Amino acid sequence: MLKPAYHLAQPGTRSTSVVFASPHSGRDYPSAFLERSLLNADEIRSSEDAFVDCLFETAPAHGAPLLTALAPRAYLDLNRGPDEFDAALIEGVRRNAHNPRIASGLGVVPRVVANGRQIYRGKITLAEAHNRVATYWRPYHDMLQTLLDESAKMFGEAILIDCHSMPHEALDSMARPGSTRPDVVLGDRFGATASGEVTEAVEAAFRAAGLRVARNMPFAGAFITQHYGRPGRGQHAIQIEIDRALYMNEKTLEPNGNFEAFQKLLSSTIADIVKIGWARDTRVAAE
């Protein structure tokens, strides 16, 4: 029996146009996949956005749906296009020299995990790659678009908050003498996927919690942000990257002593982000 592709947590009453989604926190690793891998159980989780779904789990209590993937990123990357197949991994695929994500082994069916470590002993079939896309990618994205369409119908706009985490070391390139490292990086493809007003309001919500925020560097947003961000049509998409060191031990892949406090801090941030998507008359009455 096939396992579900996602978990959807709905609010009792949908009160906002904001939709939260976590495409990389899935941790349902198929046993056959693990048996075929060169990596051990911890190594294969290194690309996982561990606990991001837990960090944002209060979104429904604030009136917004939360969509979380169940399939792990090492098995299928929902933040890639469904046709981003890697010829070095999948039999019968022509090499694509124009896609740097595929070239680095990070296509829709990844060839590597963090730090370029190989996942497989050999290649997989094209039929298997298509099956993963059909079984997990399409149901997740169909539901995500449905949620955004519902927001547009109910509130006249839709705001997608695409939730991710980043390794602490990913910010090393930004750590210059005298500068402060960001805790959160917002990606809106340099203003292409969300209006300035929406991005500024999301940034203000994180700053109000005392978090340092940067935009688009080193993460500007990948497939999901680019695909769903249509601000001219009232559909906004912003990628959120949170420094993992704030809430987890990256070596043991376990929550650290600050996890509960950080989760509580984020709950207040989620409440502020949700207000951005309140119906206009509701926002005016609250001011």
Side-chain angles (χ1 to χ4, degrees):
M1 179 181 295
L2 290 176
K3 296 182 179 180
Y6 59 81
H7 174 70
L8 176 61
Q10 289 274 31
T13 301
R14 185 108 164 242
S15 62
T16 177
S17 66
V18 177
V19 173
F20 292 87
S22 177
H24 285 164
S25 57
R27 44 191 174 269
D28 188 1
Y29 289 84
S31 57
F33 170 63
L34 293 175
E35 290 169 2
R36 293 171 61 184
S37 175
L38 293 166
L39 306 174
N40 64 38
D42 289 335
E43 291 170 338
I44 207 162
R45 292 188 61 199
S46 59
S47 292
E48 180 186 311
D49 283 347
F51 313 116
V52 165
D53 53 338
C54 301
L55 291 178
F56 287 88
E57 68 182 12
T58 63
H62 295 295
L66 171 63
L67 179 68
T68 58
L70 298 181
R73 183 184 186 183
Y75 186 73
L76 187 79
D77 193 337
L78 297 171
N79 202 17
R80 300 289 183 262
D83 57 350
E84 291 189 56
F85 287 155
D86 185 350
L89 172 65
I90 304 168
E91 296 173 350
V93 173
R94 292 184 178 181
R95 190 170 299 277
N96 186 332
H98 305 294
N99 189 315
R101 293 193 292 261
I102 294 176
S104 62
L106 298 173
V108 65
V109 181
R111 174 166 39 92
V112 302
V113 293
N115 299 318
R117 288 172 291 186
Q118 294 284 134
I119 297 174
Y120 300 90
R121 291 184 173 85
K123 289 192 172 186
I124 69 171
T125 66
L126 182 58
E128 181 176 350
H130 279 302
N131 183 61
R132 292 188 194 184
V133 169
T135 304
Y136 297 102
W137 193 98
R138 297 203 181 280
Y140 179 90
H141 283 274
D142 286 347
M143 178 51 66
L144 181 54
Q145 187 62 67
T146 296
L147 292 169
L148 295 174
D149 290 343
E150 289 173 352
S151 284
K153 184 176 181 180
M154 295 171 67
F155 303 97
E157 67 175 0
I159 301 171
L160 170 61
I161 304 299
D162 192 43
C163 307
H164 297 260
S165 66
M166 55 187 174
H168 186 71
E169 66 181 15
L171 301 174
D172 287 347
S173 62
M174 302 182 68
R176 297 180 176 85
S179 66
T180 56
R181 299 167 67 103
D183 301 310
V184 177
V185 177
L186 306 183
D188 64 359
R189 306 289 297 183
F190 299 93
T193 66
S195 72
E197 179 183 5
V198 169
T199 302
E200 287 167 11
V202 172
E203 179 173 340
F206 282 102
R207 290 192 183 279
L211 297 169
R212 298 183 295 268
V213 184
R215 292 195 200 180
N216 294 307
M217 294 296 290
F219 304 106
F223 172 82
I224 289 175
T225 311
Q226 189 170 14
H227 180 74
Y228 291 101
R230 298 288 184 268
R233 303 177 189 173
Q235 183 169 291
H236 310 268
I238 297 176
Q239 178 178 281
I240 309 295
E241 295 276 1
I242 300 173
D243 185 353
R244 292 173 187 167
L246 293 171
Y247 60 90
M248 67 176 282
N249 183 315
E250 295 183 74
K251 291 183 178 180
T252 64
L253 300 175
E254 296 291 341
N256 63 22
N258 192 48
F259 184 85
E260 290 186 4
F262 188 72
Q263 186 183 42
K264 184 176 180 180
L265 182 74
L266 270 192
S267 184
S268 66
T269 302
I270 291 166
D272 287 341
I273 292 174
V274 161
K275 293 175 185 177
I276 302 167
W278 281 357
R280 186 164 301 277
D281 56 349
T282 304
R283 292 200 300 264
V284 170
E287 291 174 352

